[in-house]
């Protein structure tokens, strides 16, 4: 996925969450500040998730065992 596509997906996710929680959200600062923080948080969540997926994919299958070896 390209950077532009990823940015659009993150932005869309934020607006969907805003719409779904519109009755619960109370913006105390400016809308701009709120959206910038939301983008930052969503981006960090994406990076964290992507790193977790990569690290689990890097484990060789023969290293993963359901039974302990003696």
């Amino acid at each position: 996925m390209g950077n532009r596509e990823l940015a659009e997906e993150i932005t869309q996710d934020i607006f969907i969450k805003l719409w779904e929680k519109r009755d619960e959200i109370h913006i105390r600062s400016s809308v701009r500040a709120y959206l910038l923080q939301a983008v930052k948080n969503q981006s960090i969540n994406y990076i964290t998730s992507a790193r977790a997926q990569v690290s689990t994919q890097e484990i060789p299958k023969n290293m993963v065992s359901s039974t302990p070896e003696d």
Side-chain angles (χ1 to χ4, degrees), residues 34-57:
Y34 182 89
L35 291 174
L36 288 173
Q37 189 64 44
V39 168
K40 179 181 175 182
N41 292 340
Q42 189 71 14
S43 298
I44 290 170
N45 291 344
Y46 174 82
I47 291 168
T48 303
S49 176
R51 283 186 181 167
Q53 289 176 359
V54 168
S55 66
T56 58
Q57 291 173 356

Side-chain angles (χ1 to χ4, degrees), residues 5 10 12 14 17 23-24 26 28 39-40 50 52 58:
E5 291 172 340
I10 288 172
Q12 184 176 17
I14 290 168
K17 286 180 184 180
D23 294 331
E24 303 167 25
H26 302 287
R28 293 181 180 88
V39 168
K40 179 181 175 182
E58 291 176 353

